[in-house]
Amino acid sequence: MDIAIFSPGIYTYGAMLIGGVLRDAGHRVSLTRAPAVPADSLLLASLFSTQHLLDPAIRDLVRTHREKGGKVYVGGPVSAAPEIVLGELAPDAVVVGEGEETVVRLVAEGVSAALPGIAYLDGGRPVVNPPAPPASIDRPLPLIPGDIGSQSIRGASAYIETHRGCIGGCTFCQVPRFFGRKIRSRELASIIEEVRAFSAAGATRLSVSGGTGSLYGSADGEMNPEAFIALLHGMAEVMGARNVSSPDIRVDCITDEILDAVRRYTIGWVFFGIESGSARVLRLMGKGATVRQVEEAVGRCREHGLRVAGSFIVGYPGETERDYEATKDLIARLALDDVFVSGAEPIPGTPLADLAVRTPRDKNPAFVPHTGEYRPLNLTESEARCFDLMMHADMFRPQMRLVTDEVYATYLGEARKQGQDIRAATELILRYSPSGA
């Protein structure tokens, strides 16, 4: 069978993984980043953002493909809310949960009430068949496109999956809800074989994926630094240390041995999800880490000669002006090498989404008009904090970055776009929420 896998904008690892599974099942599979596929192909849409459900190009692709008699199945992180996917896109089915086994059966057998791990419409009513228990995460090599080297996701050609699950319970994150909180790690030999395949296909840099990279090989809540070090060493032997990165490490999941390995076998950066400088907001977010742990972790990284980036979330429902000022103060103290700022976007299936729906608009920073110094810009409170924090962070880098008119306009545009996306996502979730009906 001819199967086209559509992954909007980038080749995600999930799309390449499913492509490899279907290829090894005997199908002719192609990958595309553009919303255009052959009419005679079965279409698999691998969607990783709530915004994809609202994208006119994607909606038109699904509609026209079905009107021409083609089958359309949707998978990816958006499947955490299958009722929303069915309501907005009306595909033939949604693959729910970890879909390696499900998608092979779905392609071969079609939609069936007996098939676990799918959702579909029956007379206009959504039916959701719960997925089977997670299977082994051993798999064939991904379907790696020939132009993978042209892709850059935060500097990497691709993020490869080394394990599934996360011990954290962050309320804004899908990972522990999609993959669970138990760590399931792949065999090192399988990962290195995959790294070689990516390198042979032209990948210039690879990053470790899987929630928190340093949890690779851990079991029963105990880290396994030796396994993680062996992973980085093996990847660096293939790619070269300057072409490996290990982003997204929790501040409470580091050791001296791990930090030494990151310095020796990677580009030398550590990325922490810091999120807030307010202890109260961190508790609301379910971070499981304290401001003191953040400060100690950043200090330890510097002792090991590493550069440190931090991500921050502003406009979380319930965040006060005092909470926001605490975040600004923390950024000033940390003087991070790079900072990523985003608004609190509710992802379907997360506690944050439930909170956003329950929070009245006059209490939600994503909807409350900003009345402070940026009032002439017509921003919401969340947008204003996002914009302000981007500029504030530039003042406290080790090498201060000058906020030119161009930088100012870029930050303002990004804050406005994020605000628009957050409001659209909130409205979408509200449409399908019992409390919003």
Side-chain angles (χ1 to χ4, degrees), residues 38 107 136 141 193 197 210 271 284 304 317 343 345 349 386 392 399 405 410:
V107 167
S136 167
L141 287 172
E193 180 187 12
F271 297 75
L284 287 174
H304 287 266
E345 179 175 355
C386 185
H392 177 77
Q399 293 185 346
D405 289 345
T410 299

Side-chain angles (χ1 to χ4, degrees), residues 206-358:
L206 295 178
S207 286
V208 173
S209 183
T212 294
S214 60
L215 291 178
Y216 173 73
S218 65
D220 300 322
E222 294 293 326
M223 285 196 302
N224 185 345
E226 292 79 12
F228 181 61
I229 292 168
L231 169 69
L232 296 184
H233 183 204
M235 293 180 64
E237 283 191 319
V238 178
M239 300 294 298
R242 295 298 93 189
N243 298 318
V244 175
S245 67
S246 178
D248 306 326
I249 296 179
R250 286 176 59 94
V251 297
D252 54 354
C253 290
I254 58 174
T255 66
D256 288 333
E257 296 85 357
I258 284 173
L259 296 179
D260 277 340
V262 171
R263 177 177 51 80
R264 186 176 302 119
Y265 301 126
T266 80
I267 61 174
W269 280 78
V270 173
F271 297 75
F272 289 133
I274 299 170
E275 320 311 358
S276 178
S278 162
R280 191 181 73 87
V281 172
L282 289 176
R283 288 193 296 271
L284 287 174
M285 292 179 172
K287 278 296 296 182
T290 66
V291 173
R292 181 176 179 179
Q293 285 177 304
V294 168
E295 293 176 316
E296 290 176 350
V298 171
R300 288 178 70 183
C301 288
R302 295 229 165 90
E303 291 172 2
H304 287 266
L306 296 169
R307 302 181 75 180
V308 187
S311 64
F312 293 84
I313 295 175
V314 296
Y316 197 91
E319 180 188 61
T320 65
E321 184 64 31
R322 183 176 180 178
D323 293 323
Y324 174 63
E325 289 298 327
T327 298
K328 293 183 71 172
D329 291 344
L330 178 61
I331 284 180
R333 295 198 302 274
L334 296 178
L336 298 167
D337 295 283
D338 203 358
V339 170
F340 304 92
V341 183
S342 62
E345 179 175 355
I347 301 174
T350 63
L352 173 56
D354 296 335
L355 178 60
V357 167
R358 296 196 312 269

Side-chain angles (χ1 to χ4, degrees), residues 47 53 74-75 78-91 93-94 432:
L47 308 182
L53 302 178
V74 174
V78 297
S79 69
E83 296 88 352
I84 298 180
V85 180
L86 291 169
E88 293 299 310
L89 298 182
V94 178
Y432 294 88

